Amino acid sequence: MLHASRSLIRTSSDHFNSTMIRNSSTATKHVFACVLGSGVAGSSVAYHLTKRNIKDVLLLERASGVASPTGTSFHSPGLVSASHPAHRYKPILAHSIELYSKLEEETGVNIDFQPTGTIRLATNETRLAEFRKYVNRDYYKEGDVCKTTLLTPDQVRELAPAVDHSRVLGALHTTNDGTISARALTQALVVGAKAGGAQVIDGAIPREIRYDKEKGHWIVALEDGTLVTTRNLINAGGIWANDIARLSGHNLPVVVVEHQYAVLTPNKTPDNTPAIIDHDSTFYVRKSGDDYLFGGFEPLEKTVIREDWYKKGVPTEGSKSIKADFSRLDDAYKRACDLIPSLEGAKIDARAAVFSMTPDGYPLVGPYDKNYWMSTGFLDGVSSGGGIGKYLADWIVDGEPPAELFDTDASRYERWGDRKFFTERSRETYSMYYNWSYTDRLAGRPTDRISGVYGRLKKDGASFSFRNGWEVANSFNMGVQNEEYLPTLIREYEMVTNKCGVIDLSWKGKIEVKGRDAEKLMDYAIASQIPALGKISSGLMLTRHGGILGPMMIFHHDRQRSAFILLTEPERESRDLYWLRRAAAEKQMDVQISIVSEYLASLALVGPKSREVLSALTKSDVSDEGFPQKSTRMIRLGPVGVVCARSSTSTGQLSFELFHNRAETAKLYHALIGAGRDHGIVNFGQAALNMMRLEHGYKIWGKELTLDTNPFECGIGSLVDFNKKEFIGRESALEFSKKEFDRRLALITFDTEEGIVLDDKFVPSGNEVIRIDGQEARVGQITSGAYNVRLQKPIAFAWIDNSVGKNERLVVDIGDKRLFATSLETPTIPPIQ
């Protein structure tokens, strides 16, 4: 993924780097993969590469030995947790636990893995509701390594006698996770990697790093004069990751944050107990021999981010240079003593460390440049390190991501993140680390990724969600006093579907492919038929294993059929860009591929009156005959020229999407509102759009369509064009087209015994588990849901096991209410053809 800014940085220094590297060489090592950093993250990648029979691996550690006290792994509390608010992350955590449970036997290193389980305390109704929601979404089946249940106060007392159960309302309990020695874990992974053929060099500090474009490999010059040439470079440098990145002209979206913790020696030896976490005061505590290991995430005003280290570089002493200040955890410790009385009066051995983190708390994992891979920025390096190591190793070896984990995309902050956002959002994320309920976080917002009508929409009562830097209008309260959320959405939906509405879609990811071989690349990278000039159509990118890498809409925006626009999702645009560029390089095609989301904006006009609004602004023919479905036209709407696409694919309504220069969004918006005033035009947001797409059975990426699915089990196999002789994933897709699957994707609706309460708390949003009434076994899981106005009940897509008969009585728990599910044979309204 060779970004222009990065290329410029390297170009200006290539001659200097090349000269220094050639003159300093005393020994050269040639390897398939070079891992910089031997903490849990780096050693896990090396270990898993050798498990893929890649023996040509070099692991470089800057200190004199692994798990040095200067780094992070040495200071880790060793919590191994299988619970996570993002359910797609759970297989990563499950693999870590499976690995750790057998690693000691494999390597002979005592890693002290104690599968005591973890309990997360609920001391108020908000937290209890959060945990109830989590359990309702916890999909597990026979043989899964961990299971999560909701405990009553009495069950908390039985499991963790040290906790004052009178102060809790319940707890989230996860079995078979627990605690580990992070230092020993690191050593065991290194031993395992070496047994698989990897080499390890201690005291290896890189001095220069550059990419040799002619030979297609990276060159790393160490301070002792050793040269390393490697096909794949993996930056797992922990707190030094950004210093390492700068050697090759990169900068990472990470901060280094201080963390306070302590060893507590109570008055009597603590009983065996699960690891204990309190989400409200953000403390954690675990038994460690005769002591407790205690730590917490300091409140916002006490969180210390070391921006001086970002500017000057992280000192060699790293964590050893941080002074302990247990007063930052005073509130958390007092709360801990209330909940666990045996902590009162314990001897406190205060300690401190630093670790690197990203603004959203997820690590940077995956490709960051041409065969330059990231595995850094972990807040939960021990919990996820084992699974992420396998995930990244598989990606490096197979050339494609093995599972849907877009949250960790290493390039997700490209083009919009700055240091102000990184520090402000990281401080908020750190201080709210255990707060799973509050996801609409405000720190660092808005960024520069706002449309030309953001201020107007905000004034009109828009509430916004945050997607990859963009402010996305979710709904509008229209000044209605004390209106609940669901009635707001129903009103928006009814206004748009009976009259018309305008929605700002400028946040959509947009990739331009142009050049002499643009059409050839599209034919190779896209499994679908490529639209003709003046047409817009749906397309699929597949992995080589036939998984859905990304659905998208495709159209031309020139008259020579040499330039295409691909509409993708903002969270996926960097991954799609990398994939397309790699495909072009593989075939040596003459194309230019770039993200144009920053200047190509979009407004959509939706509803039965939308054609009348357009007609008032243009002389162009927008009738059915002059502007048929799935067509594009270059037209002028009032003062603004647009590429107008007529497509009802995602709305099921008469719809026109208007692509234009971002600088002219405000002019276009005001023209639409003025022309639509007599037709009842309203603003509407993403939530109402979701209601429309579900009622006509439209599936979307990140919900129904992911890397973990294929087109044929999802019911969109018609988008795969086998008339094309070659495209990425063709052979695998052909095999899938002949296969029978053990699950189906179905539309379902819901009822309760007393009828549906008009409350969004009882509308499924995704991941809720489906059971057969009266049975515990999971037989399905919801992918996405919304309220259906026509049926006056919730509707959702769900994966359901094919073993389940169509007449089975299915149940779903949402909040504290049990809903009964019924399959729909057809969508409630057919989409406009």
mmCIF file of all heavy atoms in Angstrom, residues 525-550:
data_model
loop_
_atom_site.group_PDB
_atom_site.id
_atom_site.type_symbol
_atom_site.label_atom_id
_atom_site.label_comp_id
_atom_site.label_asym_id
_atom_site.label_seq_id
_atom_site.Cartn_x
_atom_site.Cartn_y
_atom_site.Cartn_z
ATOM 1 N N ALA A 525 -10.194 -8.138 -10.726
ATOM 2 C CA ALA A 525 -10.382 -7.981 -9.276
ATOM 3 C C ALA A 525 -11.836 -8.141 -8.848
ATOM 4 O O ALA A 525 -12.100 -8.460 -7.692
ATOM 5 C CB ALA A 525 -9.858 -6.617 -8.830
ATOM 6 N N ILE A 526 -12.777 -7.922 -9.748
ATOM 7 C CA ILE A 526 -14.206 -7.978 -9.429
ATOM 8 C C ILE A 526 -14.799 -9.249 -10.017
ATOM 9 O O ILE A 526 -14.612 -9.545 -11.194
ATOM 10 C CB ILE A 526 -14.950 -6.748 -9.991
ATOM 11 C CG1 ILE A 526 -14.282 -5.446 -9.527
ATOM 12 C CG2 ILE A 526 -16.414 -6.773 -9.584
ATOM 13 C CD1 ILE A 526 -14.330 -5.201 -8.054
ATOM 14 N N ALA A 527 -15.521 -9.999 -9.199
ATOM 15 C CA ALA A 527 -16.103 -11.268 -9.652
ATOM 16 C C ALA A 527 -17.361 -11.064 -10.483
ATOM 17 O O ALA A 527 -17.843 -12.006 -11.119
ATOM 18 C CB ALA A 527 -16.419 -12.146 -8.449
ATOM 19 N N SER A 528 -17.894 -9.860 -10.484
ATOM 20 C CA SER A 528 -19.164 -9.573 -11.153
ATOM 21 C C SER A 528 -18.933 -8.994 -12.544
ATOM 22 O O SER A 528 -17.812 -8.610 -12.909
ATOM 23 C CB SER A 528 -19.971 -8.579 -10.310
ATOM 24 O OG SER A 528 -19.992 -8.964 -8.957
ATOM 25 N N GLN A 529 -20.014 -8.909 -13.293
ATOM 26 C CA GLN A 529 -19.952 -8.240 -14.592
ATOM 27 C C GLN A 529 -19.740 -6.751 -14.368
ATOM 28 O O GLN A 529 -20.376 -6.143 -13.501
ATOM 29 C CB GLN A 529 -21.246 -8.483 -15.367
ATOM 30 C CG GLN A 529 -21.236 -7.925 -16.779
ATOM 31 C CD GLN A 529 -22.510 -8.265 -17.540
ATOM 32 O OE1 GLN A 529 -23.501 -8.664 -16.936
ATOM 33 N NE2 GLN A 529 -22.480 -8.102 -18.841
ATOM 34 N N ILE A 530 -18.858 -6.152 -15.132
ATOM 35 C CA ILE A 530 -18.546 -4.730 -14.989
ATOM 36 C C ILE A 530 -19.580 -3.913 -15.765
ATOM 37 O O ILE A 530 -19.910 -4.252 -16.908
ATOM 38 C CB ILE A 530 -17.122 -4.423 -15.508
ATOM 39 C CG1 ILE A 530 -16.110 -5.339 -14.817
ATOM 40 C CG2 ILE A 530 -16.773 -2.959 -15.282
ATOM 41 C CD1 ILE A 530 -16.142 -5.277 -13.308
ATOM 42 N N PRO A 531 -20.134 -2.869 -15.148
ATOM 43 C CA PRO A 531 -21.202 -2.118 -15.826
ATOM 44 C C PRO A 531 -20.723 -1.423 -17.094
ATOM 45 O O PRO A 531 -19.562 -1.005 -17.188
ATOM 46 C CB PRO A 531 -21.631 -1.100 -14.767
ATOM 47 C CG PRO A 531 -20.439 -0.939 -13.879
ATOM 48 C CD PRO A 531 -19.807 -2.286 -13.826
ATOM 49 N N ALA A 532 -21.631 -1.319 -18.028
ATOM 50 C CA ALA A 532 -21.342 -0.593 -19.257
ATOM 51 C C ALA A 532 -21.319 0.907 -18.970
ATOM 52 O O ALA A 532 -21.753 1.368 -17.909
ATOM 53 C CB ALA A 532 -22.405 -0.917 -20.307
ATOM 54 N N LEU A 533 -20.833 1.654 -19.921
ATOM 55 C CA LEU A 533 -20.793 3.110 -19.783
ATOM 56 C C LEU A 533 -22.213 3.635 -19.582
ATOM 57 O O LEU A 533 -23.145 3.256 -20.289
ATOM 58 C CB LEU A 533 -20.180 3.730 -21.041
ATOM 59 C CG LEU A 533 -19.877 5.232 -20.991
ATOM 60 C CD1 LEU A 533 -18.806 5.524 -19.944
ATOM 61 C CD2 LEU A 533 -19.410 5.722 -22.364
ATOM 62 N N GLY A 534 -22.381 4.491 -18.572
ATOM 63 C CA GLY A 534 -23.694 5.043 -18.283
ATOM 64 C C GLY A 534 -24.537 4.159 -17.397
ATOM 65 O O GLY A 534 -25.739 4.416 -17.231
ATOM 66 N N LYS A 535 -23.934 3.113 -16.818
ATOM 67 C CA LYS A 535 -24.665 2.205 -15.944
ATOM 68 C C LYS A 535 -23.990 2.149 -14.568
ATOM 69 O O LYS A 535 -22.804 2.435 -14.430
ATOM 70 C CB LYS A 535 -24.715 0.787 -16.535
ATOM 71 C CG LYS A 535 -25.483 0.695 -17.847
ATOM 72 C CD LYS A 535 -26.974 0.955 -17.640
ATOM 73 C CE LYS A 535 -27.756 0.788 -18.924
ATOM 74 N NZ LYS A 535 -29.199 1.054 -18.716
ATOM 75 N N ILE A 536 -24.763 1.745 -13.554
ATOM 76 C CA ILE A 536 -24.247 1.504 -12.211
ATOM 77 C C ILE A 536 -24.752 0.134 -11.775
ATOM 78 O O ILE A 536 -25.897 -0.222 -12.054
ATOM 79 C CB ILE A 536 -24.683 2.596 -11.210
ATOM 80 C CG1 ILE A 536 -24.061 2.349 -9.831
ATOM 81 C CG2 ILE A 536 -26.189 2.725 -11.123
ATOM 82 C CD1 ILE A 536 -24.261 3.522 -8.858
ATOM 83 N N SER A 537 -23.893 -0.644 -11.152
ATOM 84 C CA SER A 537 -24.321 -1.990 -10.759
ATOM 85 C C SER A 537 -23.574 -2.446 -9.517
ATOM 86 O O SER A 537 -22.565 -1.859 -9.121
ATOM 87 C CB SER A 537 -24.088 -2.987 -11.905
ATOM 88 O OG SER A 537 -22.705 -3.132 -12.162
ATOM 89 N N SER A 538 -24.075 -3.515 -8.903
ATOM 90 C CA SER A 538 -23.439 -4.104 -7.738
ATOM 91 C C SER A 538 -22.302 -5.012 -8.182
ATOM 92 O O SER A 538 -22.379 -5.674 -9.219
ATOM 93 C CB SER A 538 -24.449 -4.930 -6.931
ATOM 94 O OG SER A 538 -25.512 -4.125 -6.488
ATOM 95 N N GLY A 539 -21.249 -5.056 -7.373
ATOM 96 C CA GLY A 539 -20.120 -5.925 -7.661
ATOM 97 C C GLY A 539 -19.575 -6.545 -6.396
ATOM 98 O O GLY A 539 -19.855 -6.086 -5.289
ATOM 99 N N LEU A 540 -18.793 -7.605 -6.577
ATOM 100 C CA LEU A 540 -18.175 -8.297 -5.440
ATOM 101 C C LEU A 540 -16.685 -8.464 -5.675
ATOM 102 O O LEU A 540 -16.264 -8.845 -6.773
ATOM 103 C CB LEU A 540 -18.783 -9.688 -5.259
ATOM 104 C CG LEU A 540 -20.192 -9.826 -4.694
ATOM 105 C CD1 LEU A 540 -20.587 -11.297 -4.707
ATOM 106 C CD2 LEU A 540 -20.252 -9.278 -3.284
ATOM 107 N N MET A 541 -15.899 -8.193 -4.655
ATOM 108 C CA MET A 541 -14.512 -8.624 -4.634
ATOM 109 C C MET A 541 -14.437 -9.844 -3.730
ATOM 110 O O MET A 541 -14.933 -9.814 -2.599
ATOM 111 C CB MET A 541 -13.580 -7.521 -4.111
ATOM 112 C CG MET A 541 -13.296 -6.424 -5.112
ATOM 113 S SD MET A 541 -11.790 -5.479 -4.755
ATOM 114 C CE MET A 541 -12.155 -4.820 -3.134
ATOM 115 N N LEU A 542 -13.802 -10.896 -4.221
ATOM 116 C CA LEU A 542 -13.659 -12.132 -3.469
ATOM 117 C C LEU A 542 -12.204 -12.362 -3.089
ATOM 118 O O LEU A 542 -11.283 -11.906 -3.782
ATOM 119 C CB LEU A 542 -14.148 -13.329 -4.295
ATOM 120 C CG LEU A 542 -15.592 -13.296 -4.809
ATOM 121 C CD1 LEU A 542 -15.881 -14.570 -5.598
ATOM 122 C CD2 LEU A 542 -16.579 -13.140 -3.655
ATOM 123 N N THR A 543 -11.999 -13.086 -2.011
ATOM 124 C CA THR A 543 -10.656 -13.561 -1.696
ATOM 125 C C THR A 543 -10.371 -14.777 -2.568
ATOM 126 O O THR A 543 -11.264 -15.330 -3.220
ATOM 127 C CB THR A 543 -10.525 -13.956 -0.221
ATOM 128 O OG1 THR A 543 -11.330 -15.134 0.014
ATOM 129 C CG2 THR A 543 -11.000 -12.835 0.692
ATOM 130 N N ARG A 544 -9.136 -15.223 -2.558
ATOM 131 C CA ARG A 544 -8.793 -16.407 -3.344
ATOM 132 C C ARG A 544 -9.473 -17.666 -2.810
ATOM 133 O O ARG A 544 -9.620 -18.638 -3.522
ATOM 134 C CB ARG A 544 -7.271 -16.581 -3.391
ATOM 135 C CG ARG A 544 -6.621 -15.581 -4.334
ATOM 136 C CD ARG A 544 -5.111 -15.604 -4.302
ATOM 137 N NE ARG A 544 -4.576 -14.765 -5.377
ATOM 138 C CZ ARG A 544 -4.500 -13.447 -5.343
ATOM 139 N NH1 ARG A 544 -4.936 -12.808 -4.258
ATOM 140 N NH2 ARG A 544 -4.024 -12.758 -6.350
ATOM 141 N N HIS A 545 -9.880 -17.608 -1.550
ATOM 142 C CA HIS A 545 -10.607 -18.724 -0.972
ATOM 143 C C HIS A 545 -12.123 -18.589 -1.170
ATOM 144 O O HIS A 545 -12.901 -19.389 -0.639
ATOM 145 C CB HIS A 545 -10.303 -18.841 0.519
ATOM 146 C CG HIS A 545 -8.916 -19.330 0.803
ATOM 147 N ND1 HIS A 545 -7.879 -18.487 1.140
ATOM 148 C CD2 HIS A 545 -8.391 -20.573 0.775
ATOM 149 C CE1 HIS A 545 -6.774 -19.193 1.326
ATOM 150 N NE2 HIS A 545 -7.057 -20.462 1.107
ATOM 151 N N GLY A 546 -12.547 -17.569 -1.915
ATOM 152 C CA GLY A 546 -13.953 -17.422 -2.242
ATOM 153 C C GLY A 546 -14.782 -16.667 -1.226
ATOM 154 O O GLY A 546 -16.000 -16.578 -1.363
ATOM 155 N N GLY A 547 -14.140 -16.122 -0.177
ATOM 156 C CA GLY A 547 -14.864 -15.312 0.796
ATOM 157 C C GLY A 547 -15.186 -13.936 0.246
ATOM 158 O O GLY A 547 -14.546 -13.466 -0.711
ATOM 159 N N ILE A 548 -16.168 -13.268 0.849
ATOM 160 C CA ILE A 548 -16.566 -11.938 0.381
ATOM 161 C C ILE A 548 -15.622 -10.900 0.986
ATOM 162 O O ILE A 548 -15.720 -10.565 2.167
ATOM 163 C CB ILE A 548 -18.024 -11.634 0.769
ATOM 164 C CG1 ILE A 548 -18.967 -12.631 0.097
ATOM 165 C CG2 ILE A 548 -18.394 -10.202 0.370
ATOM 166 C CD1 ILE A 548 -20.426 -12.468 0.498
ATOM 167 N N LEU A 549 -14.701 -10.405 0.180
ATOM 168 C CA LEU A 549 -13.808 -9.350 0.638
ATOM 169 C C LEU A 549 -14.561 -8.033 0.729
ATOM 170 O O LEU A 549 -14.369 -7.258 1.666
ATOM 171 C CB LEU A 549 -12.617 -9.196 -0.309
ATOM 172 C CG LEU A 549 -11.559 -8.201 0.143
ATOM 173 C CD1 LEU A 549 -10.726 -8.812 1.277
ATOM 174 C CD2 LEU A 549 -10.656 -7.795 -1.008
ATOM 175 N N GLY A 550 -15.447 -7.793 -0.242
ATOM 176 C CA GLY A 550 -16.202 -6.554 -0.176
ATOM 177 C C GLY A 550 -17.224 -6.431 -1.286
ATOM 178 O O GLY A 550 -16.881 -6.561 -2.464
#
